[in-house]
Amino acid sequence: MFIEQAYRGLSEGWRYVVGVIVVFFGWQVLGAIPLILALFLKTDSIAVLASGDMGVLSNALGSNDFLFYMLLTFAIGLVFLLLFVKFVHKQSINSLTTARKKTDWSRVLFAFILWAFITVLFIFLDMYLAPEDYEYNFKLEPFLFLALIAIIMIPLQTSMEEYFIRGYLMQGIGVAIKNRWFPLVFTSLLFGLMHIFNPEVEKIGYGILVYYIGTGFFLGIITLMDDGLELALGFHAANNLTAALLVTADWTAFQTNSVYRDVSDPVLGWDVLIPVFVVFPLLLLVFSQMYGWKNWKEKLTGKVLTEEAFKSEQMG
């Protein structure tokens, strides 16, 4: 009953509408002020500030500093979201996270370790198959600063996306629509389309959105089946952290002082399709066996209880 956890607070529709506006303002407007100020102090070129090109901005500020300020926007957005949930919805952070009595950190850790291992395995497999596509990029001092920034800030960035999309919006839309399939589809498409302005989309084409939307569906499914965000939180943090630390490229959202640099001309290939159509289904099988998932149709497409029915069931 993850979606019904919204009933543990005040769940009127207007609160969610205002919440989206407030969180977006904190995330995209107030959260961007430190980045804009840092860029303004670093360069006197209006063209650099107005370009919006991640490569140009990263070069102007320095990749580590740019990464920090970019991730800071998400951290500020997360603070706005959690405060709004606590004080306006009167809902606990735990009920925004899970239907369990307490957040299960073992689930977060398991998903993190599993996906980090698989990601590293795929990266080194690709290096073995196409070594000419990679060059060694390791420099100790900038890498240590990168690791410090990434380990602290990336989990905040990924948590912001999970709490906002698969927590706040999924619960809010679910209790308004009274079914599960629509919030699953809506939040999955939204997650994918949020990445449409990433530089890799411009470089590779819109076909890469198959990966982002497919990932959105995967994360939405494990959230509903597991009645909580824990697995999605661990998976998402592992995905972005390994990407930031291990491999960078001039055409990706994370341009960092990573261990390796991808110097290939990117194309839409197996590395986009295999995760969505092979690896994610296998992970669903692993998770379902490990956590005893049942009633897939009901959990993914069934009706959401009314507030009265939910509270009556909790009392019973």
Side-chain angles (χ1 to χ4, degrees), residues 3 161-162 164-174 180-195 212-213 215-217 219-221 223-224:
I3 289 178
E161 293 187 11
E162 292 306 315
F164 184 57
I165 295 174
R166 271 165 289 276
Y168 190 70
L169 290 181
M170 184 172 280
Q171 287 187 355
I173 295 170
R180 302 179 190 281
W181 70 265
F182 183 81
L184 171 60
V185 171
F186 180 87
T187 57
S188 300
L189 291 174
L190 176 64
F191 179 78
L193 294 175
M194 279 176 59
H195 295 82
Y212 291 123
I213 294 173
T215 302
F217 272 101
L219 293 171
I221 289 169
T223 296
L224 289 179

Side-chain angles (χ1 to χ4, degrees), residues 7-299:
Y7 294 138
R8 296 190 182 278
L10 302 175
S11 57
E12 296 92 341
W14 68 266
R15 296 180 193 271
Y16 285 96
V17 173
V18 174
V20 169
I21 295 171
V22 168
V23 171
F24 187 84
F25 178 78
W27 173 19
Q28 294 292 320
V29 180
L30 294 183
I33 290 176
L35 173 59
I36 294 171
L37 288 176
L39 285 165
F40 182 77
L41 294 173
K42 197 79 172 183
T43 177
D44 58 0
S45 172
I46 300 299
V48 170
L49 291 171
S51 70
D53 185 287
M54 286 191 177
V56 173
L57 297 177
S58 180
N59 289 332
L61 198 56
S63 62
N64 280 341
D65 287 349
F66 178 72
L67 179 67
F68 171 78
Y69 285 111
M70 183 180 70
L71 296 176
L72 183 61
T73 66
F74 290 88
I76 292 172
L78 180 62
V79 170
F80 270 74
L81 173 61
L82 297 183
L83 289 177
F84 193 87
V85 167
K86 181 177 178 61
F87 292 107
V88 178
H89 286 276
K90 308 294 184 182
Q91 181 184 0
S92 70
I93 304 306
N94 187 71
S95 63
L96 183 65
T97 307
T98 183
R100 286 170 275 276
K101 291 183 179 180
K102 293 182 179 179
T103 300
D104 187 348
W105 292 104
S106 68
R107 278 171 153 86
V108 179
L109 184 62
F110 175 70
F112 180 93
I113 293 174
L114 179 61
W115 187 242
F117 174 78
I118 292 172
T119 302
V120 171
L121 187 65
F122 270 110
I123 289 172
F124 282 104
L125 176 62
D126 195 46
M127 287 182 183
Y128 175 77
L129 295 174
E132 70 279 3
D133 289 345
Y134 297 89
E135 65 178 27
Y136 191 61
N137 188 58
F138 181 77
K139 297 179 180 65
L140 180 60
E141 185 175 341
F143 178 80
L144 290 177
F145 280 111
L146 166 65
L148 180 63
I149 293 168
I151 291 169
I152 295 173
M153 300 299 293
I154 284 180
L156 296 177
Q157 177 245 327
T158 55
S159 294
M160 166 58 192
E161 293 187 11
E162 292 306 315
Y163 273 108
F164 184 57
I165 295 174
R166 271 165 289 276
Y168 190 70
L169 290 181
M170 184 172 280
Q171 287 187 355
I173 295 170
V175 297
I177 301 295
K178 294 294 187 293
N179 66 48
R180 302 179 190 281
W181 70 265
F182 183 81
L184 171 60
V185 171
F186 180 87
T187 57
S188 300
L189 291 174
L190 176 64
F191 179 78
L193 294 175
M194 279 176 59
H195 295 82
I196 200 168
F197 297 111
N198 281 19
E200 54 263 35
V201 176
E202 180 179 352
K203 186 71 174 180
I204 299 177
Y206 291 114
I208 197 175
L209 292 177
V210 170
Y211 173 77
Y212 291 123
I213 294 173
T215 302
F217 272 101
F218 170 72
L219 293 171
I221 289 169
I222 64 176
T223 296
L224 289 179
M225 290 305 303
D226 201 48
D227 276 326
L229 288 174
E230 292 99 333
L231 295 176
L233 287 168
F235 175 98
H236 202 163
N239 187 76
N240 288 22
L241 192 57
T242 52
L245 293 177
L246 279 183
V247 180
T248 190
D250 294 336
W251 43 268
T252 60
F254 282 169
Q255 297 177 32
T256 65
N257 294 292
S258 57
V259 178
Y260 293 94
R261 177 174 293 275
D262 185 341
V263 295
S264 66
D265 189 20
V267 294
L268 189 66
W270 68 268
D271 54 334
V272 172
L273 302 178
I274 292 295
V276 174
F277 296 107
V278 178
V279 180
F280 290 170
L282 290 175
L283 284 178
L284 288 176
L285 180 62
V286 170
F287 288 145
S288 67
Q289 292 297 313
M290 185 164 185
Y291 298 114
W293 293 348
K294 299 177 181 178
N295 303 322
W296 287 69
K297 183 178 180 181
E298 175 62 27
K299 284 201 167 187

Side-chain angles (χ1 to χ4, degrees), residues 308-316:
E308 293 75 15
F310 173 73
K311 290 183 176 178
S312 175
E313 184 169 306
Q314 295 300 300
M315 291 176 63

